[in-house]
Amino acid sequence: MITVGIDVGSITTKAVLMNGSAWQSTLRPTGYSPRQAGREVLDELLDKAGLAQADIDYIIATGYGRITLDFADKAMTEITCHARGAHHLAPGADLVIDIGGQDSKVIFTDGYGNVTDFSMNDKCAAGTGRFLQVMAAAMGVDVSELAELARGMEPVQISSMCTVFAESEVISLLAEGVERGRIIAGIHRSVANRVVAMAERIGKGELIAFTGGVAKNEGVKEYLAKALGREIVVSPESQLAGAFGAAIIAREKLLKAR
Amino acid sequence: MRPESMNIFDDLRGQNMVVLENAKQSGRKVVGMYCAYCPQELVLAAGAIPVSLCGTKDEPIADAEKVLPRNICPLIKSSFGFAITGKCPYFYFSDFVIGETTCDGKKKMFELLGQHKPMHVMHLPQGADRPGALPWWKEELSLLKERLEETLGVTISDDSLREAIKLSNSEQLAIKELHDLNKFDPAPLSGLDLLTATFMKGFNVNKLEGIALVNKLIGEVKEVIEQGGSPFQPDTPRILLTGCPVGIGSEKLIRLLEENGGSVVCFESCSGYKTLDMLVDEDERRDPLEAIAERSLKIPCSCMTPNEGRLDLLGRMIGEYRVDGVVDLTWQACHTYNVEAELVRGYVKDNFDIPCLHLETDYSSSDLQQLKTRVTAFIELLDKRWT
């Protein structure tokens, strides 16, 4: 049984192909056309696996571009898919923190990958991957360098959560001569605190999985762990959690239909 | 299959405008109101036509923002925008407008609105649990009665009040009966149709005709039930919508819920069940004003503190409508409902162990995609057919 999960995020499109317990993945920037990005990751996967589209038994699309993929058998929300994917990557996780390009979410699960409750950020980019991108650009660095530059730095207070206002705040801090690493540490802390506030409204998880692109940022992860007072699991495949979840749910659906 | 009468309800708002205009020309007076606390019985007893004023569409908000601050609730901005632009015919035809102090934004907005129409603002108590609340509210009703008599040049007798109470009660009973039919599973009426039919109450010029129309619809819905029909598949998740009032034009959340696999079976809001659930005492030996005051003080609105009645009503509705989940809607900057959301969430979780989703939005379409993700995820969580 071969299934595919495609997670069309606002910045990155991810796909996972599952064939029994074996899996393959691919990812690429979403760019301006979510539909094309979805098509391309599928073709790439088929290429890698030496398969034709007809060999795929079920495709589930998720992420903000999920509805544009007309070749998918079903679209499901990233909330449901991330919960299931996180369970696969960090078995037993009952709190999933997913920070993506334009959304941040906290998802509580029953410990088996089923959503019990969730919360999502407002419609603005505060505390998301996009927020980090804008701040990185304001400081003239790449988003992937942020964690390294902030390592061991005492965070400066960043008060504004609005992306545009925070950018002005960062620029003012730079103008005052505040060290860049301290500003970045402050940004990491403010992103983490925002998500923590969202999580603590709903409950307390025992085992926390951190997924989405921002999970790659060690700085944010550290402040999250500190504020929540618990260890946080970040799997090497955490960015693929949504795509994994989609492929797994597709598999479960087929198994159930048998 | 959709009940045939729904087509009439769809067009009613426009048609009633003509009826209203004719009534005006023949000398009838029109009184505009915004809120469930406003006693339509007094208006009816004065021989005038009570109408609900427009305030549930996004369209006039830009005009309102030229005067009002942007960060207040869309309901206030829409109401004000409709009134000052002349785009609400019901406001235009009103000889008198009744406001009430259900929130700080509204009561200050009414001061500005008073520059456009003769208006009276009723002062509500902050809660119903103090011994002085009922006498206070009764006093407010007699003050309104005086103002109505003076402005409209009429006398409101106790007998005419008692008659109006009976008329209002029968209207309410009819709409409640319609709501109650959605206790069937799957629901015979979509949430959108239920809202459309209920919303009619506010602009129906001839009460008796309106009641007859609701009764006709009830008959058709009963047939739908008998034939096992429904706009929904069996096992569609049943959702209770609570929180701020929803009207035609601000129904985007109901649409999203129903387009993405849910069935909104009932509304615990002041545009829905919250005000249908209690009648004014018809006992002829009672002071009719006191009976009206007593009833409206029982409305479990979040402007009251404490507001435990809302939780009791929610609990009853969750059970009676056998809902799978609760969606709690807050219009942006409606502080009382927004803060109360925490109590609702805890109550639903602790007592019923069903999911509850709180959403804050406005009338615009700017957040439709984000709302869709939340709503769809919520339905995926409720939908037993999938997991």
Side-chain angles (χ1 to χ4, degrees):
Chain A
M1 183 189 306
I2 305 172
T3 59
V4 168
I6 303 179
D7 179 1
V8 188
S10 64
I11 296 175
T12 312
T13 295
K14 291 108 351 191
V16 167
L17 182 146
M18 292 193 100
N19 188 353
S21 59
W23 58 273
Q24 282 171 305
S25 72
T26 184
L27 77 180
R28 61 167 55 230
T30 301
Y32 67 92
S33 171
R35 186 193 165 88
Q36 198 184 324
R39 183 76 244 177
E40 281 170 6
V41 286
L42 177 66
D43 289 343
E44 217 173 294
L45 270 184
L46 292 173
D47 241 22
K48 266 193 192 177
L51 294 168
Q53 195 174 331
D55 299 326
I56 312 292
D57 296 300
Y58 209 83
I59 302 176
I60 289 184
T62 184
Y64 105 106
R66 63 187 179 277
I67 27 179
T68 62
L69 306 192
D70 49 10
F71 57 83
D73 297 291
K74 190 174 173 64
M76 293 199 79
T77 64
E78 49 271 40
I79 293 168
T80 304
C81 291
H82 265 272
R84 192 62 54 93
H87 174 65
H88 173 76
L89 299 173
D94 55 355
L95 168 57
V96 181
I97 294 175
D98 166 40
I99 309 186
Q102 65 176 10
D103 293 316
S104 51
K105 305 177 191 79
V106 294
I107 308 164
F108 284 84
T109 77
D110 58 0
Y112 299 96
N114 302 303
V115 179
T116 54
D117 207 345
F118 64 90
S119 182
M120 205 171 142
N121 68 323
D122 307 319
K123 56 188 171 184
C124 76
T128 67
R130 184 77 200 139
F131 180 83
L132 289 176
Q133 273 191 338
V134 172
M135 297 312 133
M139 282 175 291
V141 300
D142 187 78
V143 73
S144 61
E145 304 170 79
L146 289 174
E148 191 51 43
L149 287 165
R151 195 180 300 276
M153 292 295 219
E154 179 64 25
V156 69
Q157 181 67 37
I158 302 285
S159 313
S160 192
M161 275 319 300
C162 168
T163 309
V164 177
F165 291 151
E167 193 182 8
S168 318
E169 198 177 347
V170 163
I171 291 167
S172 312
L173 288 167
L174 287 172
E176 282 168 28
V178 178
E179 217 176 320
R180 200 162 60 169
R182 292 192 59 207
I183 302 177
I184 299 172
I187 289 165
H188 289 161
R189 188 174 63 178
S190 85
V191 168
N193 285 349
R194 189 177 167 89
V195 180
V196 167
M198 219 156 71
E200 289 188 336
R201 254 187 116 82
I202 314 184
K204 290 214 177 292
E206 292 298 323
L207 182 62
I208 307 167
F210 186 15
T211 65
V214 177
K216 290 195 291 190
N217 182 313
E218 278 290 321
V220 175
K221 182 193 161 192
E222 242 166 69
Y223 285 112
L224 272 177
K226 207 180 281 175
L228 289 165
R230 264 151 300 160
E231 212 202 322
I232 290 180
V233 181
V234 179
S235 145
E237 282 85 36
S238 64
Q239 202 182 1
L240 298 172
F244 256 117
I248 292 166
I249 293 171
R251 192 181 159 75
E252 285 169 356
K253 187 175 168 63
L254 292 179
L255 286 172
K256 215 179 142 186
R258 273 187 177 173
Chain B
M1 62 198 138
R2 193 176 189 230
E4 214 175 294
S5 304
M6 279 313 303
N7 297 322
I8 307 176
F9 282 98
D10 285 340
D11 300 332
L12 215 53
R13 200 170 167 79
Q15 280 169 9
N16 273 328
M17 230 152 65
V18 183
V19 181
L20 190 66
E21 191 174 8
N22 292 339
K24 271 289 275 199
Q25 273 164 5
S26 65
R28 295 281 302 276
K29 300 284 186 194
V30 176
V31 174
M33 340 175 281
Y34 283 105
C35 172
Y37 281 110
C38 180
Q40 73 161 0
E41 292 88 351
L42 260 74
V43 179
L44 289 168
I49 303 168
V51 289
S52 290
L53 301 173
C54 311
T56 57
K57 286 192 175 145
D58 191 46
E59 181 200 343
I61 285 182
D63 283 310
E65 285 177 349
K66 291 176 190 165
V67 181
L68 296 176
R70 285 186 62 201
N71 58 344
I72 56 170
C73 96
L75 197 147
I76 299 177
K77 288 190 284 189
S78 177
S79 305
F80 187 74
F82 263 122
I84 60 165
T85 54
K87 283 176 186 158
C88 172
Y90 296 91
F91 186 84
Y92 175 81
F93 287 132
S94 289
D95 298 283
F96 187 63
V97 171
I98 306 171
E100 73 305 307
T101 56
T102 40
C103 85
D104 292 348
K106 259 168 119 182
K107 77 185 183 197
K108 298 312 283 185
M109 180 274 275
F110 289 140
E111 292 176 12
L112 299 174
L113 208 57
Q115 297 166 1
H116 299 263
K117 282 279 179 190
M119 105 165 279
H120 176 75
V121 176
M122 306 174 75
H123 290 200
L124 275 161
Q126 304 272 334
D129 64 340
R130 296 289 201 275
L134 183 63
W136 170 277
W137 186 234
K138 192 190 155 196
E139 189 57 36
E140 281 294 310
L141 291 187
S142 27
L143 201 62
L144 173 68
K145 181 171 167 259
E146 277 169 36
R147 283 293 318 268
L148 278 169
E149 288 176 329
E150 185 185 292
T151 318
L152 305 177
V154 291
T155 310
I156 299 174
S157 69
D158 278 4
D159 281 344
S160 64
L161 260 179
R162 289 197 177 98
E163 219 175 290
I165 287 172
K166 282 184 191 146
L167 181 60
S168 278
N169 276 352
S170 59
E171 177 185 53
Q172 199 180 303
L173 279 171
I175 300 176
K176 182 176 185 292
E177 190 183 348
L178 182 69
H179 269 251
D180 284 339
L181 292 176
N182 254 10
K183 288 177 184 170
F184 281 87
D185 190 1
L189 266 184
S190 72
L192 212 50
D193 279 349
L194 186 59
L195 175 77
T196 306
T198 308
F199 205 55
M200 175 277 316
K201 179 186 166 200
F203 49 86
N204 183 44
V205 178
N206 186 319
K207 289 283 172 198
L208 288 174
E209 279 176 23
I211 295 167
L213 188 58
V214 173
N215 283 327
K216 185 163 178 269
L217 179 61
I218 288 170
E220 290 174 12
V221 175
K222 282 181 178 166
E223 275 174 42
V224 171
I225 294 170
E226 271 164 34
Q227 292 163 16
S230 169
F232 305 104
Q233 300 296 316
D235 295 330
T236 300
R238 296 167 64 84
I239 293 162
L240 180 155
L241 183 66
T242 181
C244 292
V246 175
I248 299 301
S250 61
E251 76 283 358
K252 69 175 181 182
L253 191 54
I254 300 172
R255 269 185 208 283
L256 279 174
L257 284 162
E258 298 200 323
E259 281 168 3
N260 290 287
S263 158
V264 179
V265 292
C266 55
F267 310 97
E268 187 287 313
S269 59
C270 59
S271 48
Y273 219 77
K274 200 193 283 284
T275 53
L276 295 177
D277 204 36
M278 56 197 91
L279 297 169
V280 180
D281 189 356
E282 293 183 14
D283 189 339
E284 301 267 320
R285 291 161 300 184
R286 291 198 63 182
D287 174 356
L289 270 193
E290 189 179 81
I292 295 170
E294 200 178 77
R295 184 258 179 189
S296 53
L297 262 197
K298 282 190 212 150
I299 297 174
C301 175
S302 72
C303 70
M304 295 293 173
T305 184
N307 185 31
E308 282 141 5
R310 180 174 174 213
L311 301 183
D312 293 342
L313 178 59
L314 264 176
R316 255 193 300 137
M317 291 178 73
I318 288 169
E320 287 175 16
Y321 283 86
R322 282 163 293 135
V323 304
D324 301 303
V326 172
V327 174
D328 186 8
L329 164 69
T330 300
W331 293 129
Q332 258 161 33
C334 178
H335 305 318
T336 56
Y337 272 106
N338 212 359
V339 177
E340 207 170 272
E342 193 55 31
L343 292 176
V344 168
R345 179 185 183 83
Y347 176 77
V348 172
K349 218 173 179 176
D350 295 346
N351 294 282
F352 299 93
D353 198 28
I354 56 171
C356 181
L357 176 70
H358 176 231
L359 295 169
E360 188 184 357
T361 183
D362 62 7
Y363 293 176
S364 77
S365 55
S366 64
D367 59 351
L368 272 184
Q369 283 312 314
Q370 282 88 347
L371 280 181
K372 191 177 173 181
T373 297
R374 289 169 168 82
V375 158
T376 311
F378 186 68
I379 289 164
E380 285 169 355
L381 150 68
L382 299 180
D383 202 340
K384 316 279 183 308
R385 291 169 298 180
W386 172 252
T387 45

